[in-house]
PDB file of all heavy atoms in Angstrom:
ATOM      1  N   PRO A1251      45.839  48.932 -40.184  1.00 53.00           N
ATOM      2  CA  PRO A1251      45.421  47.529 -40.297  1.00 53.00           C
ATOM      3  C   PRO A1251      46.158  46.589 -39.362  1.00 53.00           C
ATOM      4  O   PRO A1251      45.679  45.501 -39.082  1.00 53.00           O
ATOM      5  CB  PRO A1251      45.710  47.193 -41.766  1.00 53.00           C
ATOM      6  CG  PRO A1251      46.718  48.210 -42.211  1.00 53.00           C
ATOM      7  CD  PRO A1251      46.378  49.462 -41.458  1.00 53.00           C
ATOM      8  N   LEU A1252      47.352  46.990 -38.855  1.00 59.00           N
ATOM      9  CA  LEU A1252      48.122  46.124 -37.979  1.00 59.00           C
ATOM     10  C   LEU A1252      47.884  46.421 -36.497  1.00 59.00           C
ATOM     11  O   LEU A1252      48.546  45.851 -35.646  1.00 59.00           O
ATOM     12  CB  LEU A1252      49.619  46.256 -38.299  1.00 59.00           C
ATOM     13  CG  LEU A1252      50.040  45.800 -39.700  1.00 59.00           C
ATOM     14  CD1 LEU A1252      51.552  45.969 -39.885  1.00 59.00           C
ATOM     15  CD2 LEU A1252      49.637  44.355 -39.951  1.00 59.00           C
ATOM     16  N   LEU A1253      46.970  47.347 -36.206  1.00 77.00           N
ATOM     17  CA  LEU A1253      46.676  47.691 -34.826  1.00 77.00           C
ATOM     18  C   LEU A1253      46.072  46.487 -34.106  1.00 77.00           C
ATOM     19  O   LEU A1253      45.090  45.903 -34.550  1.00 77.00           O
ATOM     20  CB  LEU A1253      45.693  48.864 -34.785  1.00 77.00           C
ATOM     21  CG  LEU A1253      45.275  49.365 -33.399  1.00 77.00           C
ATOM     22  CD1 LEU A1253      46.467  49.924 -32.652  1.00 77.00           C
ATOM     23  CD2 LEU A1253      44.191  50.414 -33.533  1.00 77.00           C
ATOM     24  N   MET A1254      46.695  46.080 -32.974  1.00 85.00           N
ATOM     25  CA  MET A1254      46.229  44.928 -32.206  1.00 85.00           C
ATOM     26  C   MET A1254      46.091  45.315 -30.736  1.00 85.00           C
ATOM     27  O   MET A1254      46.905  46.072 -30.205  1.00 85.00           O
ATOM     28  CB  MET A1254      47.220  43.761 -32.326  1.00 85.00           C
ATOM     29  CG  MET A1254      47.415  43.242 -33.748  1.00 85.00           C
ATOM     30  SD  MET A1254      45.976  42.351 -34.358  1.00 85.00           S
ATOM     31  CE  MET A1254      46.098  40.861 -33.378  1.00 85.00           C
ATOM     32  N   LEU A1255      45.064  44.797 -30.093  1.00 88.00           N
ATOM     33  CA  LEU A1255      44.860  45.045 -28.671  1.00 88.00           C
ATOM     34  C   LEU A1255      45.544  43.952 -27.858  1.00 88.00           C
ATOM     35  O   LEU A1255      45.320  42.761 -28.100  1.00 88.00           O
ATOM     36  CB  LEU A1255      43.361  45.088 -28.351  1.00 88.00           C
ATOM     37  CG  LEU A1255      42.587  46.248 -28.993  1.00 88.00           C
ATOM     38  CD1 LEU A1255      41.096  46.098 -28.711  1.00 88.00           C
ATOM     39  CD2 LEU A1255      43.095  47.585 -28.478  1.00 88.00           C
ATOM     40  N   ASP A1256      46.358  44.351 -26.907  1.00 90.00           N
ATOM     41  CA  ASP A1256      47.110  43.425 -26.066  1.00 90.00           C
ATOM     42  C   ASP A1256      46.170  42.777 -25.040  1.00 90.00           C
ATOM     43  O   ASP A1256      45.516  43.486 -24.267  1.00 90.00           O
ATOM     44  CB  ASP A1256      48.222  44.196 -25.347  1.00 90.00           C
ATOM     45  CG  ASP A1256      49.156  43.299 -24.548  1.00 90.00           C
ATOM     46  OD1 ASP A1256      48.749  42.183 -24.185  1.00 90.00           O
ATOM     47  OD2 ASP A1256      50.286  43.731 -24.270  1.00 90.00           O
ATOM     48  N   PRO A1257      46.074  41.444 -25.007  1.00 88.00           N
ATOM     49  CA  PRO A1257      45.197  40.783 -24.031  1.00 88.00           C
ATOM     50  C   PRO A1257      45.510  41.154 -22.587  1.00 88.00           C
ATOM     51  O   PRO A1257      44.608  41.274 -21.759  1.00 88.00           O
ATOM     52  CB  PRO A1257      45.444  39.291 -24.291  1.00 88.00           C
ATOM     53  CG  PRO A1257      45.898  39.220 -25.709  1.00 88.00           C
ATOM     54  CD  PRO A1257      46.698  40.476 -25.928  1.00 88.00           C
ATOM     55  N   ASP A1258      46.800  41.337 -22.249  1.00 89.00           N
ATOM     56  CA  ASP A1258      47.165  41.714 -20.882  1.00 89.00           C
ATOM     57  C   ASP A1258      46.608  43.092 -20.526  1.00 89.00           C
ATOM     58  O   ASP A1258      46.147  43.318 -19.405  1.00 89.00           O
ATOM     59  CB  ASP A1258      48.688  41.727 -20.716  1.00 89.00           C
ATOM     60  CG  ASP A1258      49.275  40.331 -20.631  1.00 89.00           C
ATOM     61  OD1 ASP A1258      48.529  39.412 -20.236  1.00 89.00           O
ATOM     62  OD2 ASP A1258      50.453  40.157 -20.957  1.00 89.00           O
ATOM     63  N   VAL A1259      46.659  44.009 -21.491  1.00 93.00           N
ATOM     64  CA  VAL A1259      46.107  45.344 -21.263  1.00 93.00           C
ATOM     65  C   VAL A1259      44.593  45.267 -21.112  1.00 93.00           C
ATOM     66  O   VAL A1259      44.005  45.932 -20.248  1.00 93.00           O
ATOM     67  CB  VAL A1259      46.487  46.290 -22.415  1.00 93.00           C
ATOM     68  CG1 VAL A1259      45.802  47.644 -22.241  1.00 93.00           C
ATOM     69  CG2 VAL A1259      47.997  46.470 -22.486  1.00 93.00           C
ATOM     70  N   LEU A1260      43.951  44.441 -21.929  1.00 93.00           N
ATOM     71  CA  LEU A1260      42.502  44.285 -21.824  1.00 93.00           C
ATOM     72  C   LEU A1260      42.106  43.694 -20.476  1.00 93.00           C
ATOM     73  O   LEU A1260      41.096  44.083 -19.890  1.00 93.00           O
ATOM     74  CB  LEU A1260      41.985  43.399 -22.959  1.00 93.00           C
ATOM     75  CG  LEU A1260      42.085  43.986 -24.369  1.00 93.00           C
ATOM     76  CD1 LEU A1260      41.538  43.000 -25.396  1.00 93.00           C
ATOM     77  CD2 LEU A1260      41.333  45.318 -24.454  1.00 93.00           C
ATOM     78  N   ARG A1261      42.892  42.751 -19.962  1.00 90.00           N
ATOM     79  CA  ARG A1261      42.596  42.190 -18.644  1.00 90.00           C
ATOM     80  C   ARG A1261      42.695  43.262 -17.563  1.00 90.00           C
ATOM     81  O   ARG A1261      41.884  43.301 -16.634  1.00 90.00           O
ATOM     82  CB  ARG A1261      43.549  41.030 -18.341  1.00 90.00           C
ATOM     83  CG  ARG A1261      43.106  39.706 -18.966  1.00 90.00           C
ATOM     84  CD  ARG A1261      43.924  38.547 -18.433  1.00 90.00           C
ATOM     85  NE  ARG A1261      45.253  38.531 -19.022  1.00 90.00           N
ATOM     86  CZ  ARG A1261      45.568  37.900 -20.148  1.00 90.00           C
ATOM     87  NH1 ARG A1261      44.641  37.253 -20.807  1.00 90.00           N
ATOM     88  NH2 ARG A1261      46.801  37.929 -20.615  1.00 90.00           N
ATOM     89  N   SER A1262      43.692  44.140 -17.680  1.00 92.00           N
ATOM     90  CA  SER A1262      43.815  45.239 -16.720  1.00 92.00           C
ATOM     91  C   SER A1262      42.619  46.183 -16.835  1.00 92.00           C
ATOM     92  O   SER A1262      42.057  46.620 -15.822  1.00 92.00           O
ATOM     93  CB  SER A1262      45.111  46.012 -16.969  1.00 92.00           C
ATOM     94  OG  SER A1262      46.246  45.196 -16.767  1.00 92.00           O
ATOM     95  N   PHE A1263      42.231  46.479 -18.066  1.00 93.00           N
ATOM     96  CA  PHE A1263      41.084  47.364 -18.305  1.00 93.00           C
ATOM     97  C   PHE A1263      39.805  46.795 -17.687  1.00 93.00           C
ATOM     98  O   PHE A1263      39.067  47.494 -16.984  1.00 93.00           O
ATOM     99  CB  PHE A1263      40.909  47.559 -19.812  1.00 93.00           C
ATOM    100  CG  PHE A1263      39.594  48.174 -20.194  1.00 93.00           C
ATOM    101  CD1 PHE A1263      39.326  49.509 -19.945  1.00 93.00           C
ATOM    102  CD2 PHE A1263      38.613  47.402 -20.807  1.00 93.00           C
ATOM    103  CE1 PHE A1263      38.099  50.071 -20.287  1.00 93.00           C
ATOM    104  CE2 PHE A1263      37.389  47.948 -21.158  1.00 93.00           C
ATOM    105  CZ  PHE A1263      37.135  49.286 -20.895  1.00 93.00           C
ATOM    106  N   VAL A1264      39.554  45.502 -17.905  1.00 91.00           N
ATOM    107  CA  VAL A1264      38.355  44.861 -17.354  1.00 91.00           C
ATOM    108  C   VAL A1264      38.414  44.850 -15.835  1.00 91.00           C
ATOM    109  O   VAL A1264      37.396  45.086 -15.157  1.00 91.00           O
ATOM    110  CB  VAL A1264      38.198  43.431 -17.905  1.00 91.00           C
ATOM    111  CG1 VAL A1264      37.088  42.678 -17.172  1.00 91.00           C
ATOM    112  CG2 VAL A1264      37.904  43.462 -19.401  1.00 91.00           C
TER     113      VAL A1264
END
Side-chain angles (χ1 to χ4, degrees):
L1252 296 181
L1253 180 64
M1254 299 289 288
L1255 295 174
D1256 186 337
D1258 285 335
V1259 175
L1260 292 180
R1261 278 191 285 271
S1262 297
F1263 166 72
V1264 171

